[in-house]
């Protein structure tokens, strides 16, 4: 039994405890093996309850290496997975009885349940009462909605239609938010607990992604001046949150055909009214479009959309020159991992980091920093003109991410200094509005400083133009980059601690100007 238990290393994720299983047709029929003809094993991951093919050279005996690896574990989800495999080691029969290690019968039951739920959705509109479903399925509340066409491809729960990742992402509850520390920020994986996840296996909602509200459905002045000629290509867009909703609106208003996907479909309704098509999964988007844009809240979510269940590369299709444009604020290593995966499927990759906030996204005045495939950059020009006022090509993959982080560090440190200055003025008995008025007349004045300064003194933190949690994420990634090249950044490190403290006090989803609250304490 011990020989079947292993540490399995999937690219972009830490070693995860798993069990070598016998491949079953209903699980592996569409799961693609790694290229190169390497020998691999079918692995069940403890804690996350996912499966994947893993090369033999990425497997290590669990018991032999347990003590050395466990010492390095800091995130709680991975500790939970270790606890699960240890329970299995001590009493396999009891563990199976607790339904944590799926059996063949359980796989069949889950597939049957999922098919029944899907057929129920496709046959008629949802009723206002809760339908009768098998006991093993989660209850499904309903709201009247437009019937969706039957998808071309059916997929079942926990089968091999999609490659899997060792763990799923989940959203911490508000009461747990205050417990977040630096270790959980870097590794926010948690085991799935919702039964519905077993049925659909799609990326879950992650802290930091806000729905966003379209404040304008009219064509922006910038678009009118640019006289954009829309590309004839079909574009996909993953993530229509604070930034994505405004970007997609401008793409639609400039005449582009766009198919969108969002983790919460309800947040895509307004864009659907403007002419966007809504797909069920990221994989469905990839099958129907020529170029895919991704704009989500966090590098880990970006990985999930590419490598996870229902992800971009989870199907067996070849990209055949299709493009993937990553607009999420992320680090160079993550960008390179995604680029390698896309290129290995025959696709082209471009990172297109964006400078600006929700207002600039809606007005179409963002700054686009791109790097990667030059031909893809040229093909996206009509889209970039709809999104922003300037776009720059910076060369190889990773350069745009580095430029983005450098600019974000400057913005974060500037805000930290502004917040402390206003807090000092308030404590010293000065009127903060007077400070801003004088500041606006000096050479230090800027639109950004004036906007955030007024938001601070009026406590106008909602709706967020740029969530505080996103800024803290960028500061953390910038510090990680500085560590890689051994460059000291003590001021940024101190600023990061201020933002982390504001997050722990419940201001994650507030505007970044809410850092002022911490400075006043």
């Amino acid at each position: 039994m011990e020989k079947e238990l292993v540490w399995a290393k999937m690219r972009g994720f830490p070693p995860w405890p798993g069990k070598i299983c016998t491949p079953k047709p209903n699980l592996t029929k569409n799961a693609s093996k790694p290229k190169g003809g390497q020998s691999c094993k079918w692995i069940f991951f403890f804690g996350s309850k996912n499966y994947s093919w893993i090369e033999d050279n990425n497997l290590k005996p669990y018991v032999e290496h347990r003590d050395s690896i466990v010492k390095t574990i800091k995130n709680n989800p991975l500790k939970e997975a270790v606890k699960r495999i240890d329970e299995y080691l001590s009493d396999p029969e009891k563990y199976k009885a607790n339904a944590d290690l799926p059996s063949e019968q359980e796989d069949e039951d889950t597939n049957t349940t999922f098919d029944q739920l899907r057929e129920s959705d496709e046959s008629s509109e949802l009723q206002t009462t809760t339908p009768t479903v098998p006991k093993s399925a989660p209850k499904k509340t309903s709201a009247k909605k437009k019937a969706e066409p039957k998808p071309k491809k059916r997929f079942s729960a926990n089968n091999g239609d999609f490659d899997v990742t060792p763990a799923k992402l989940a959203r911490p509850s508000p009461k747990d938010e205050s417990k977040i520390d630096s270790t959980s920020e870097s590794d926010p994986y948690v085991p799935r607990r919702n039964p519905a996840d077993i049925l659909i296996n799609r990326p879950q909602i992650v802290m930091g992604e806000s729905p966003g509200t379209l404040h304008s459905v009219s064509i922006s002045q910038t678009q009118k001046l640019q006289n954009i000629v829309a590309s004839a290509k079909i574009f996909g867009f993953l993530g229509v949150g604070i930034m994505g909703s405004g970007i997609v609106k401008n793409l639609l208003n400039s005449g582009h055909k766009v198919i969108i996907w969002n983790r919460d479909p309800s947040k895509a309704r307004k864009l659907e009214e403007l002419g966007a098509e809504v797909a069920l999964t990221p994989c469905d988007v990839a099958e129907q479009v020529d170029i895919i844009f991704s704009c989500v809240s966090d590098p880990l979510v970006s990985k999930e959309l590419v490598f996870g269940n229902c992800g971009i590369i989870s199907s067996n299709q070849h990209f055949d020159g299709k493009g993937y444009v990553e607009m999420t604020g992320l680090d160079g290593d993550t960008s390179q991992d995604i680029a390698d995966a896309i290129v290995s499927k025959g696709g082209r990759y471009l990172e297109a980091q964006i400078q600006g906030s929700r207002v600039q996204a809606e007005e179409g005045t963002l700054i686009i920093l791109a790097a990667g495939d030059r031909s893809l950059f040229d093909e996206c020009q009509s889209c970039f003109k709809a999104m922003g006022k300037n776009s720059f090509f910076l060369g190889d993959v990773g350069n745009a991410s580095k430029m983005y982080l450098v600019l974000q560090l400057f913005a974060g440190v500037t805000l930290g200094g502004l917040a402390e200055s206003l807090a000092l003025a308030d404590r010293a008995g000065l009127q903060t509005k007077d400070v801003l008025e004088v500041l606006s007349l000096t050479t230090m004045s800027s639109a950004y400083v004036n906007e955030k300064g007024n938001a601070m003194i009026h406590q106008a933190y909602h709706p967020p133009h740029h969530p505080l949690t996103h800024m803290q994420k960028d500061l953390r990634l910038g510090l990680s980059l500085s560590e890689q090249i051994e460059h000291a950044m003590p001021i940024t490190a101190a600023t990061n601690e201020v933002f982390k403290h504001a997050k722990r006090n419940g201001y994650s989803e507030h505007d970044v100007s809410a850092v002022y609250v911490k400075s006043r304490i």
Side-chain angles (χ1 to χ4, degrees), residues 273-290:
E273 294 172 2
L274 295 179
E277 295 181 26
V278 181
L280 291 176
T281 68
C283 185
D284 293 333
V285 174
E287 292 177 350
Q288 302 176 60
V289 304
D290 302 306

Side-chain angles (χ1 to χ4, degrees), residues 5-7 17 60-73 78-79 81-87 89:
L5 303 181
V6 294
W7 291 100
K60 299 293 182 184
Y62 175 77
V63 176
E64 179 181 344
H65 297 277
R66 181 190 183 283
D67 293 340
S68 59
I69 294 180
V70 167
K71 290 178 182 178
T72 65
I73 296 177
L78 188 48
K79 291 179 181 178
V82 171
K83 179 181 177 182
R84 296 299 180 194
I85 193 173
D86 287 344
E87 290 175 356
L89 263 173

